[in-house]
Structure formats: structure tokens, C-alpha cells
Amino acid sequence: LGAKDFNEYLGHTVISYPTPPYAGYRFINEQTPSDAKVLVYGEARGFYLKREAILSSGDQRSALELWADQSADAAALAGKIRQKGVSYILVNAAEIARLHRAPLITPAGLRVLDSFWKRYTARVFGVLDPKDRWVGVYKVLDDAQAAKPHPVEDLFAKKLN
């Protein structure tokens, strides 16, 4: 009892709290504007997130998947995300892997999502522990930022093959 502090405890898997998103939530709470809106992907738990958020349960399509299916291309998806006021996206890849969840999206929507991800997002925080956690926080880039070279992550490219 008391061997770990609050942040350390919530940042690692325990039997009753697998693949925690807490490290990402802590980053968002401490490093983003108080009016930032977050789209949470691959994670249904939002208790420690102190920002307005869009979440979905593991058994339903996420807003990101739904909007990608409704968008003709990456620019249209970026516009939809901005229209909803989303400025950050948190991805809990460890929870997605734990649940063995494939995106609930059409092949065309997946191509749109992959293109959007490569052009309009930039990782601003990430933690990788191969045993139990991989959570990343991505900033949604505006058109001017997206036009400039920036590191690209292929989160969805593997699903296209």
C-alpha cells in the first residue's frame, strides 16, 4: 500500500485497470488549453480527462470512423473534425490491441482516415511500454501546418493491406 504515487499507479496496468489512457489524459490536462476538445479513439474510459471529449464504447463505431466514412477525402475529414471543435486526438493503441478491435469502417473510409492521419495530425505526446501501454496524443493540424513537412505515423496503413 502506498508503494506508488497516484500518477504512477494510474499510468500502468493493474488487473482492474488494463491498458490505461491516464498518461495521455495527464498530458492533455496539463499541456493543452483548457478549452481544447479531444476526440478519444480506442478508449471508452474518460474519467480522468478534464477536457470536453468525444468518446465511444468499444462495441460501437467511433466518431472518427463514422466521419471518415462520410468524407470524400482527407481534407473533408479534417474540415469535419475542425467543425466539431476537435483540436486533439488521443489514441489508446494498447486498448485497441487488447480488445482485438479492427476499425469499424469501410475500405474507402479507411483510405480517407489513413490520408487524414498522415497529413493532418502530429504526435505531441506518446508513451510506449510493450507490456501494457501505448497511448499517443495527436494535434489536429490546420491547413498551413499540414502543408509543412512534419513527422508522419502510419497508424492505419497496416489495415489497408
Side-chain angles (χ1 to χ4, degrees):
L1 188 63
K4 293 182 180 179
D5 74 7
F6 181 80
N7 294 320
E8 180 69 16
Y9 180 77
L10 287 177
H12 290 278
T13 289
V14 293
I15 284 280
S16 61
Y17 190 58
T19 60
Y22 182 75
Y25 288 171
R26 183 175 178 201
F27 173 84
I28 290 167
N29 293 341
E30 294 176 358
Q31 302 295 322
T32 67
S34 60
D35 63 347
K37 189 171 185 179
V38 181
L39 191 154
V40 179
Y41 183 71
E43 178 59 60
R45 301 164 292 185
F47 185 71
Y48 294 103
L49 182 58
K50 294 178 173 47
R51 297 290 183 272
E52 183 178 353
I54 300 171
L55 294 111
S56 56
S57 66
D59 63 342
Q60 66 182 171
R61 293 176 78 188
S62 72
L64 188 61
E65 294 163 337
L66 179 65
W67 296 341
D69 268 346
Q70 295 171 345
S71 300
D73 56 25
L77 178 54
K80 179 74 163 177
I81 288 170
R82 289 186 201 120
Q83 176 192 21
K84 296 294 183 178
V86 173
S87 49
Y88 293 90
I89 301 173
L90 179 133
V91 177
N92 188 344
E95 182 71 352
I96 293 168
R98 183 182 78 85
L99 296 175
H100 306 287
R101 187 181 179 283
L104 300 173
I105 194 168
T106 65
L110 188 55
R111 285 189 292 278
V112 168
L113 181 54
D114 181 55
S115 295
F116 162 81
W117 204 260
K118 290 174 181 172
R119 180 165 175 91
Y120 292 99
T121 67
R123 183 162 49 96
V124 293
F125 175 81
V127 61
L128 172 61
D129 180 343
K131 289 186 317 197
D132 66 0
R133 61 189 181 141
W134 191 109
V135 62
V137 178
Y138 298 83
K139 182 172 182 9
V140 177
L141 305 176
D142 62 31
D143 289 329
Q145 294 167 323
K148 296 177 183 173
H150 59 276
V152 171
E153 293 193 13
D154 282 336
L155 288 186
F156 301 98
K158 290 182 226 167
K159 307 281 190 249
L160 290 170
N161 299 327

